[in-house]
Amino acid sequence: MKHMKTGGGWAAIKYTLRMANRVGWWQLWKAMRSKNACKTCALGMGGQAGGMRNEMGHWPEVCKKSLQAMVADMQQGLKPEFFQRYSINDLRTLSPRELEWCGRLTQPLYAGPADTHFRPLDWDAALQHVADHLKRNQPNQNFFYASGRSSNEAGFLLQLFSRLYGTNYVNNCSFYCHQASGVGLTASLGTGTATVTLEDVEGADLFFLIGGNPASNHPRLMRTLMNIRRHKGHVVVINPVKELGLVNFSVPSDLWSLLFGSKIASIYVQPHIGGDMALLTGVAKVVLDRNAIDATFIAEATEGFEAYAEQVRGTSWETIEQFSGVNRATVEKVADFYIAAKNVVFAWTMGITHHEHGVANVQAIVNLALLRSMVGRPQAGLLPIRGHSNVQGIGSVGVVPNLKQKILDNLETHLNVQLPRTPGLDTMACLKAADRGEIRSALCLGGNLFGSNPDAKFALRALGKLELITYLSTTLNTGHAWGRARETLILPVLARDEEPQKTTQESMFNFVRLSDGGNVRLQGPRSEVDIIGSLAYRVLGDASPVDWQAMKQHCGIRQLIAQIIPGFEKIGEIDQNHQEFHVGGRTFHEPRFPTPSGKAQFKVNPLPPLRGTGRQLRLMTVRSEGQFNTVVYEEADIYRGQERRDVILMNSEDIARLGLHVDQRVTVGSEIGSMPHILVRQHDIRAGNALMYFPEANVLVPTTTDPLSKTPAFKAVLITIEPESPLTAVNSTQAQQTSSTKGRVPLDLVPE
């Protein structure tokens, strides 16, 4: 596949035209211009300012991710004949991309223990089946799960239903992505979210991007990075993989950038996977040695500095270089950028959180920021780059196993009830309880719980032990085919821009957007709020302290959120004034922090040693440019020059050292599984490390989690690579080339 020279650019424009041709130019234009928050990443696009506008009002702002999600929602509906023709085993032969592009779900679907096919069920029977099952079970024999696709209103209603039903086994997809950020930030600063606004980031003169690839996953952030460089600022990129879009990116909506490209990274540092803490410790060591700290800020606004400084000073350069894989001279160059800057924003994604020491990674970033008072003032601070468009809001409104005390008190006082005190279970704990036979059912509000889990065999087994699993979905995904229980229900839901009532979402900058909804495209799907309210009423009835029929009115839910969730008071007026707002108490423009002492906390954590010996490599699982979360829209990853996904990307030194060659078939193995017939591909990644695609490579990832956040360690998985015999390789290639089309979606149903 031809390698590109820049991210974005004309390729992005060409893709936009292709999407418009698929569904109609005028239809796509109207959809993208509607007053709805973007359905993909959490940058917070759209809302009442109109589609394609960011939180500063800039227009046009559009990216491939939002186009892909919109076009997927504009597909035709799946007809009953589809499920008569294709069995569940047939669906299992389809890739994530093929399942996504089959079409929209329009009717409830059911499969029992002996069923080979999903079959339609009417809405009343489907809802009653779920309700009857919940009423038969003890509350803690069930768990409730939400993705970041849903609205604040649906999320709040789900957790309210769960707790009034009697269980705190309610959690969300952030436990598999940024929970380490929330736990680490809360311990250090008393907040679990970003401390900055978009305006702060635009005003920074130095941006640290650590363990992330927004060029592929958050393309609209690239305009901000371009602006920082254009205003004579700098961007420090820390990533084991050299990502094309982080070197050079052509912003399609900026003529100069489109024509000539924009340099992004001022310096690009490639540590080992898992070497970030050692690298950050090295930068801190330089700052301390040069006495470039803000001593007044440290004395007045922080605690724990002396212990932290002692640890940093006591860490040898030999250890730093060995554990990070970065030489001292490069570390000092990074420190030069930091010391020279006046306003610094530190940002990170799952390259930081997806480790056994994810919380410690986050706290290492906070520590470095505190050294120079880069928290607690304008144009400087901390930014976990959240993935899904409302994953932060879902957590804010209480879709978590353990509520903050203030929210719990407010709920009990307002409703005059006592809610369950049994400790809740995080997402992984719920799956392990299901595997032990302790949980009997699950209700999934969006997402793909099977596809997002490490150790795919474990996920298959655990979900298969449930008596009932209910999915609220817009399209098919691998979870519907593989994440089956004895009984499986799929309930079709409306997309955000089809909701008959307004909904709200929260961006990564703590900004609450108001989405207008819109016209229903297909008959059959229902609003998530309507489904949850109907289930709650069928289970809890008229004796419940909540009028569930009234709660189907979104404005009523917002009134309740305003009274229950601290910082969301303004949501109670949003129906009248349409004024979007920043959640109160989260943006830190002054050096006061909501910790018990009112001061920020330096945290001391031991450096994790570099894992792996001999022929082992450290594996990171990543998403491709044509992918969003577990949804694969395109097989090709154009920025990495890959036309397929069954590959392992390696440094040329490792390919030679292991006696391999490019395009050789190998078996990749870990402590819990193996993947045969994988193609070796060369890529610019730090030697000793490798890259494969999520979710396919989940079969290699163990269920090990960070002990504090319970976030799985999708990064730094130890693997071995074994060449396959020529006969095995030939047979596997021939099998792929001559495989029957039986069970695959016909070409006329899978768009190009």
Side-chain angles (χ1 to χ4, degrees), residues 1 54 63 70 103 123 157 161 261 311 391 401 549 562 591 617 625 633 674 722 724:
M1 185 176 184
N54 67 17
C63 74
M70 186 65 75
W123 271 105
L157 210 61
F161 171 33
Q311 182 202 41
V391 64
Q549 299 301 328
L617 298 179
E625 184 271 343
Y633 294 108
S674 65
E722 297 297 334
E724 295 179 353

Side-chain angles (χ1 to χ4, degrees), residues 71 99 156 171 224 263 303 320 396 401 446 525 570 613 640 659 710:
V71 171
L99 288 165
F156 182 83
N171 48 62
T224 294
K263 298 295 183 184
E303 294 176 332
I320 291 169
S396 293
K570 292 180 180 179
T613 58
R640 297 188 182 107
K710 311 303 181 184

Side-chain angles (χ1 to χ4, degrees), residues 255-296:
L255 183 59
W256 183 270
S257 180
L258 176 63
L259 294 176
F260 303 105
S262 298
K263 298 295 183 184
I264 301 301
S266 305
I267 181 173
Y268 205 120
V269 184
Q270 294 177 262
H272 286 303
I273 299 169
D276 303 280
M277 276 184 68
L279 172 60
L280 296 170
T281 298
V283 177
K285 190 177 183 70
V286 177
V287 172
L288 288 169
D289 288 347
R290 297 183 187 176
N291 196 29
I293 64 174
D294 187 334
T296 300

Side-chain angles (χ1 to χ4, degrees), residues 207 209 222 225-226 229 233-238 242-249 262-269 337:
F207 187 92
L209 177 59
M222 301 310 294
L225 300 187
M226 175 195 74
R229 291 299 310 270
H234 292 286
V235 176
V236 173
V237 177
I238 299 173
K242 183 68 70 69
E243 301 286 9
L244 169 71
L246 303 184
V247 177
N248 195 75
F249 196 89
S262 298
K263 298 295 183 184
I264 301 301
S266 305
I267 181 173
Y268 205 120
V269 184
F337 278 105

Side-chain angles (χ1 to χ4, degrees), residues 660-708:
L660 306 173
H661 59 80
V662 172
D663 283 336
Q664 180 177 2
R665 294 275 181 183
V666 297
T667 295
V668 182
S670 73
E671 63 178 276
I672 58 102
S674 65
M675 293 184 71
H677 316 322
I678 299 300
L679 285 171
V680 172
R681 292 286 172 84
Q682 180 181 335
H683 199 67
D684 191 347
I685 184 171
R686 182 71 169 76
N689 307 273
L691 177 156
M692 294 180 74
Y693 289 114
F694 165 95
E696 294 90 338
N698 285 354
V699 297
L700 301 172
V701 181
T703 58
T704 306
T705 60
D706 173 84
L708 298 176

Side-chain angles (χ1 to χ4, degrees), residues 485-723:
R486 291 185 67 253
E487 294 183 284
T488 303
L489 265 172
I490 306 174
L491 304 181
V493 297
L494 297 171
R496 180 175 302 161
D497 60 335
E498 299 170 335
E499 285 276 1
Q501 302 180 58
K502 292 178 171 61
T503 60
T504 60
Q505 295 78 32
E506 180 188 339
S507 79
M508 68 173 73
F509 295 106
N510 308 297
F511 190 70
V512 175
R513 288 286 201 193
L514 179 66
S515 294
D516 281 356
N519 295 327
V520 174
R521 297 187 178 98
L522 301 166
Q523 295 301 312
R526 290 191 181 182
S527 164
E528 294 173 334
V529 165
D530 177 73
I531 295 171
I532 297 166
S534 297
L535 282 175
Y537 179 74
R538 289 170 186 253
V539 173
L540 302 178
D542 293 321
S544 173
V546 171
D547 184 341
W548 295 104
Q549 299 301 328
M551 282 292 100
K552 292 182 181 181
Q553 297 300 312
H554 296 188
C555 59
I557 302 175
R558 286 190 282 272
Q559 291 295 323
L560 192 54
I561 291 174
Q563 298 176 69
I564 301 299
I565 309 296
F568 274 73
E569 292 79 9
K570 292 180 180 179
I571 205 171
E573 304 169 359
I574 204 169
D575 287 283
Q576 290 73 42
N577 59 26
H578 288 197
Q579 293 295 308
E580 298 167 322
F581 61 93
H582 282 96
V583 179
R586 294 188 182 172
T587 301
F588 295 167
H589 284 165
E590 296 180 356
R592 294 195 298 270
F593 305 97
T595 60
S597 66
K599 296 184 177 183
Q601 306 292 306
F602 282 94
K603 295 293 183 178
V604 177
N605 295 295
L607 285 188
L610 189 64
R611 303 182 66 209
T613 58
R615 295 178 63 86
Q616 290 179 320
L617 298 179
R618 289 167 293 277
L619 174 70
M620 60 191 296
T621 64
V622 301
R623 295 161 175 80
S624 68
E625 184 271 343
Q627 178 179 0
F628 184 70
N629 292 342
T630 59
V631 179
V632 177
Y633 294 108
E634 308 292 341
E635 295 291 338
D637 187 358
I638 60 174
Y639 290 177
R640 297 188 182 107
Q642 303 302 319
E643 81 286 0
R644 57 198 300 157
R645 297 174 63 84
D646 57 340
V647 298
I648 180 167
L649 305 189
M650 301 170 57
N651 186 286
S652 58
E653 293 180 14
D654 290 322
I655 295 175
R657 178 173 62 87
L658 297 176
L660 306 173
H661 59 80
V662 172
D663 283 336
Q664 180 177 2
R665 294 275 181 183
V666 297
T667 295
V668 182
S670 73
E671 63 178 276
I672 58 102
S674 65
M675 293 184 71
H677 316 322
I678 299 300
L679 285 171
V680 172
R681 292 286 172 84
Q682 180 181 335
H683 199 67
D684 191 347
I685 184 171
R686 182 71 169 76
N689 307 273
L691 177 156
M692 294 180 74
Y693 289 114
F694 165 95
E696 294 90 338
N698 285 354
V699 297
L700 301 172
V701 181
T703 58
T704 306
T705 60
D706 173 84
L708 298 176
S709 67
K710 311 303 181 184
T711 302
F714 286 95
K715 307 293 189 287
V717 177
L718 295 183
I719 59 167
T720 56
I721 301 175
E722 297 297 334

Side-chain angles (χ1 to χ4, degrees), residues 423-484:
L425 296 181
D426 60 85
T427 307
M428 178 59 71
C430 283
L431 265 292
K432 290 187 174 180
D435 191 40
R436 295 191 299 268
E438 298 168 5
I439 288 183
R440 300 175 65 180
S441 80
L443 177 66
C444 299
L445 179 63
N448 180 352
L449 187 54
F450 167 81
S452 61
N453 255 279
D455 192 347
K457 290 182 180 179
F458 156 77
L460 178 70
R461 183 180 70 241
L463 294 173
K465 291 182 179 180
L466 295 172
E467 293 179 3
L468 173 67
I469 190 164
T470 304
Y471 296 107
L472 278 64
S473 307
T474 55
T475 55
L476 287 171
N477 62 50
T478 55
H480 302 136
W482 293 93
R484 288 185 57 206

